[in-house]
Amino acid sequence: MPKDPRSPQRSTIDEMTAALAVERVGDRWVGTPPTWFGDYLFGGFVVGQATAAAIQTAPPGRRLHSLHAYFLKPVGTHAPVEYGVDVLRAGRTFATHRLDATQDEALVFTMTFSFTADTGGYEYELPLAGDVPGPDELTVEPGPGPFVAAYLGPSEPDPDGTRASTHRAWFRVDGALPDDPAVHAAYIAFATDWTGTGGRPLHLEGDVEGMVSLDHAVWFHRPLRADAWTFFDVHSLVNTGGRGLLRGTMHDADRRLSVSVAQEMLLRPVSR
């Protein structure tokens, strides 16, 4: 049964959708940070809001297919964030732009991103492991904002102590979103940073203390609806030099590989 549009969850969805949106002001886009994150914004929110701004500059008939971002400074919730976009290349097949985000006149985030149109061609992908249960077989829990999640947890360690997966979960927005692809892209971009402690495979328990995102890359192979179940499978590749690198894949309800993620983070030892 559809949820009552006046329900608290509907209000949360509308609030998040409005927060991820940006407003055109002159030659820039301005986003208002929500206060529910505390003093500083979750990195995924910055990626989501930047994605919303980036899509405003898409050439006709093309969609966002990749982004590469650096987190330069913590982004606070005390002031708006301004997003400026420059066109680096306007090709016949690909258009590459750069976005710079500033807060209090300081550069806090930068991102290059590319648009193209999907065409026919080769079809190949590595399949999702067949033993992954669906969300209907798991316990659904509240996630951030309007999201809900069904956590599968990390895979069991191999004899050498490594794990094939360090964070696994189904997620979706708990209610209907508008059909606007830009809205769904912003929500999915937000969720690409929802990796839990998956980048710290030797200390998976506890919170994300000591983990700071440095850079973030996303490839959008197929469009995803954020209000439909999506499976996020995270793999930690290496921890060394005080940093960690992870990759992740997002799969739709039919288990098709739809989004790929790579992220480097600063790792500080967890206080005990």
Side-chain angles (χ1 to χ4, degrees):
M1 178 180 296
K3 289 185 178 293
D4 184 333
R6 298 164 296 178
S7 70
Q9 188 61 29
R10 183 74 252 171
S11 175
T12 302
I13 294 171
D14 293 342
E15 185 179 8
M16 175 69 95
T17 302
L20 285 171
V22 291
E23 179 183 2
R24 182 72 179 263
V25 179
D27 62 351
R28 301 174 72 81
W29 285 264
V30 177
T32 302
T35 58
W36 61 70
F37 292 107
D39 293 334
Y40 296 100
L41 285 174
F42 168 57
F45 181 87
V46 180
V47 176
Q49 202 171 64
T51 297
I55 288 174
Q56 303 304 312
T57 70
R62 303 188 195 182
R63 70 174 183 87
L64 182 69
H65 75 91
S66 68
L67 63 84
H68 302 260
Y70 279 90
F71 299 94
L72 304 178
K73 294 181 65 176
V75 183
T77 56
H78 65 283
V81 182
E82 296 188 6
Y83 300 93
V85 176
D86 294 314
V87 177
L88 301 181
R89 181 176 183 271
R92 289 181 296 178
T93 304
F94 295 94
T96 306
H97 300 181
R98 184 186 71 233
L99 173 148
D100 289 329
T102 59
Q103 186 177 60
D104 297 330
E105 300 184 353
L107 185 64
V108 295
F109 177 87
T110 189
M111 181 174 84
T112 55
F113 52 99
S114 180
F115 300 101
T116 195
D118 293 331
T119 62
Y122 299 109
E123 291 284 337
Y124 169 85
E125 65 187 72
L126 290 176
L128 183 63
D131 60 350
V132 173
D136 55 329
E137 302 174 62
L138 301 168
T139 300
V140 177
E141 306 174 22
F147 283 102
V148 291
Y151 295 100
L152 186 57
S155 60
E156 291 297 320
D158 291 331
D160 62 0
T162 61
R163 299 176 188 263
S165 299
T166 50
H167 170 84
R168 296 179 296 174
W170 291 93
F171 71 86
R172 66 173 174 83
V173 171
D174 192 23
L177 289 173
D179 288 333
D180 184 356
V183 173
H184 293 272
Y187 268 96
I188 293 298
F190 173 103
T192 59
D193 195 33
W194 188 2
T195 58
T197 57
R200 192 180 62 201
L202 298 182
H203 194 128
L204 291 174
E205 69 275 12
D207 60 23
V208 295
E209 178 187 354
M211 303 177 66
V212 180
S213 299
L214 298 175
D215 60 82
H216 195 77
V218 183
W219 295 266
F220 301 88
H221 313 302
R222 298 179 172 108
L224 281 173
R225 287 194 66 96
D227 53 4
W229 283 113
T230 295
F231 185 72
F232 196 11
D233 191 5
V234 174
H235 328 280
S236 181
L237 299 180
V238 62
N239 286 180
T240 189
R243 300 176 307 279
L245 180 68
L246 61 77
R247 67 183 177 194
T249 56
M250 289 185 172
H251 305 255
D252 65 15
D254 293 326
R255 309 198 177 204
R256 298 183 305 166
L257 178 55
S258 300
V259 172
S260 295
V261 181
Q263 184 181 69
E264 186 181 34
M265 66 204 70
L266 178 68
L267 294 178
R268 297 188 176 100
V270 177
S271 60
R272 298 178 184 275

